[in-house]
């Protein structure tokens, strides 16, 4: 069911993608939660598209970093080719465990992944360690564009 080829990233590429996500988090607009998140999407052609969370005075309208990054990518005409994603959270909140994308973001990531039939590796960054999980493990048996084709 779905499932692209397994992705392996070199150490330098991993570090670069994580740094791109950290850098994006510096632009987070998170005055209500004070929880800055950064996301970086790596594409087959080497392009990296980033996003940060964008909150709103109407709290429920907050956009997550991953969702912002996917919207930017789709808005630039990308329709697949997603090979990896890095997500970073603040280092001074929670227990330092690797941050995993929220449920809605998993579905949003699945949209662009399934368009190109890839199963991106999601680098969930924590204070002590980074956990790499495939999107299909984070969102098994996903509903997506392939269902509607
Ligand atoms: N947030 C993200 O940007 N990505 C996630 O996957 C989890 C949560 C944001 C939403 C909100 O602005 C803040 O983190 C606290 O929930």
């Amino acid at each position: 069911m779905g499932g692209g080829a397994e992705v392996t990233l070199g150490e330098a590429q991993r570090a670069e993608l994580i740094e791109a996500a950290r850098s994006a988090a510096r632009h987070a607009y998170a005055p209500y939660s004070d929880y800055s998140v950064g996301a970086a999407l790596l594409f087959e052609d080497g392009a990296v598209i980033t996003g940060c969370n964008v909150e709103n005075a109407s709290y429920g309208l907050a956009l997550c970093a991953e969702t912002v990054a996917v919207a930017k990518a789709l808005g630039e005409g990308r329709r697949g080719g997603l090979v990896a994603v890095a997500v970073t959270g603040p280092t001074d909140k929670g227990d330092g465990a690797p941050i995993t994308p929220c449920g809605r973001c998993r579905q949003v990531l699945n949209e662009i992944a399934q368009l190109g039939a890839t199963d991106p590796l999601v680098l969930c960054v924590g204070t002590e360690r980074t956990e790499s999980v495939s999107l299909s493990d984070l969102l098994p048996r996903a509903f997506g564009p392939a269902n509607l084709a």
Side-chain angles (χ1 to χ4, degrees):
M1 199 184 294
E6 206 170 292
V7 177
T8 47
L9 283 187
E11 198 42 54
Q13 228 176 358
R14 271 169 63 95
E16 243 174 73
L17 197 62
I18 290 169
E19 191 41 48
R22 280 211 181 94
S23 176
R26 290 186 202 117
H27 296 298
Y29 176 64
Y32 307 108
S33 70
D34 190 34
Y35 191 90
S36 297
V37 182
L41 312 180
L42 174 66
F43 290 86
E44 272 161 3
D45 63 357
V48 173
I49 294 180
T50 61
C52 60
N53 52 332
V54 177
E55 296 185 347
N56 192 281
S58 179
Y59 299 163
L61 301 185
L63 299 174
C64 290
E66 303 92 315
T67 290
V68 168
V70 170
K72 281 170 69 180
L74 289 169
E76 288 179 15
R78 291 191 179 267
R79 298 289 184 270
L82 182 62
V83 293
V85 180
V87 187
T88 64
T91 51
D92 60 344
K93 304 253 181 186
D95 60 3
I99 177 172
T100 52
C102 80
R104 183 176 189 260
C105 286
R106 295 175 196 202
Q107 181 68 28
V108 169
L109 287 165
N110 177 69
E111 185 75 17
I112 192 163
Q114 218 180 75
L115 284 177
T118 61
D119 184 11
L121 197 62
V122 182
L123 308 179
C124 305
V125 180
T127 49
E128 305 293 325
R129 67 193 169 89
T130 294
E131 207 169 314
S132 305
V133 197
S134 66
L135 182 60
S136 64
D137 279 346
L138 288 173
L139 188 69
R141 307 188 63 167
F143 179 85
N147 291 95
L148 302 176

